Amino acid sequence: MCREHEGIIDEARKFMGMYGLRPIGGTLQSDDEEEREWRVAARDARAALNGIRLAEPPDPALVRKSMRPKAARIVSAFDAESAPARKAPARPRTTPSAPAPTPTAAVAPAKKLDVAALEERVTGLLEQLTKVDAQIGLAESAQGLAARARLNDLNSQKATILRTLAALEKARRSAGA
């Protein structure tokens, strides 16, 4: 029913655009009978759509799930699969384990590197990398525009993790650890 009304409105827009007439809406003022018929039909369809509209819109998360059931299934399957791995709380980034370096520390040799914190960070990144790889494997089986966008997002996350791991390795080498 809604699609019929939307189709009527779209057809009226196409008609107005084809002849270079002013857009539908506002008034029903027209130059000929056919234009008036299209304007009246579009007005009636818009009124019917407004009458169908829900008083309270549904939850956006539920709408997204219903629009993309396969993507929602992939995410929920992965979340269920990796739920036990998330029990260990990740170290927050805002609380550094070492005091903030002073400006002269950048000039001094970087021998004061906290190796334990570095190893902990690398371990966390490697766990994150395995999770992203598993999600990539699941997303590759999906098809469509949303699946390609999800795959691009996951690949960029993987690239970011790999760059961070490379920077941590460089810091470890420069410290001589």
Side-chain angles (χ1 to χ4, degrees), residues 34-140:
E34 187 178 12
E35 179 185 354
R36 180 168 173 72
E37 288 174 14
W38 280 109
R39 290 185 186 281
V40 169
R43 181 196 62 188
D44 294 342
R46 175 71 60 202
L49 284 174
N50 286 338
I52 295 171
R53 183 176 293 151
L54 296 175
E56 190 172 315
D59 182 27
L62 295 175
V63 172
R64 280 192 299 273
K65 277 188 176 181
S66 68
M67 296 298 285
R68 297 180 286 156
K70 191 168 187 173
R73 237 180 321 163
I74 289 172
V75 172
S76 63
F78 181 76
D79 287 346
E81 181 181 295
S82 66
R86 292 185 181 188
K87 287 183 181 176
R91 235 180 69 196
R93 293 183 186 185
T94 58
T95 57
S97 60
T102 59
T104 57
V107 179
K111 297 221 180 215
K112 296 180 180 180
L113 184 67
D114 188 3
V115 178
L118 182 70
E119 287 177 2
E120 186 179 328
R121 179 108 190 265
V122 167
T123 305
L125 285 170
L126 289 174
E127 288 174 4
Q128 206 175 6
L129 185 63
T130 53
K131 289 179 186 178
V132 169
D133 282 337
Q135 283 184 346
I136 287 174
L138 290 171
E140 284 177 341

Side-chain angles (χ1 to χ4, degrees), residues 20-37:
L21 303 171
R22 76 185 150 69
I24 59 172
T27 67
L28 297 177
Q29 183 180 4
S30 55
D31 294 335
D32 65 351
E33 191 60 35
E34 187 178 12
E35 179 185 354
R36 180 168 173 72
E37 288 174 14

Side-chain angles (χ1 to χ4, degrees), residues 134-167:
Q135 283 184 346
I136 287 174
L138 290 171
E140 284 177 341
S141 64
Q143 295 179 356
L145 188 59
R148 284 192 301 189
R150 176 82 174 135
L151 193 58
N152 285 340
D153 182 47
L154 290 170
N155 283 328
S156 68
Q157 286 180 17
K158 182 178 180 178
T160 301
I161 293 170
L162 291 174
R163 280 194 301 271
T164 307
L165 285 171

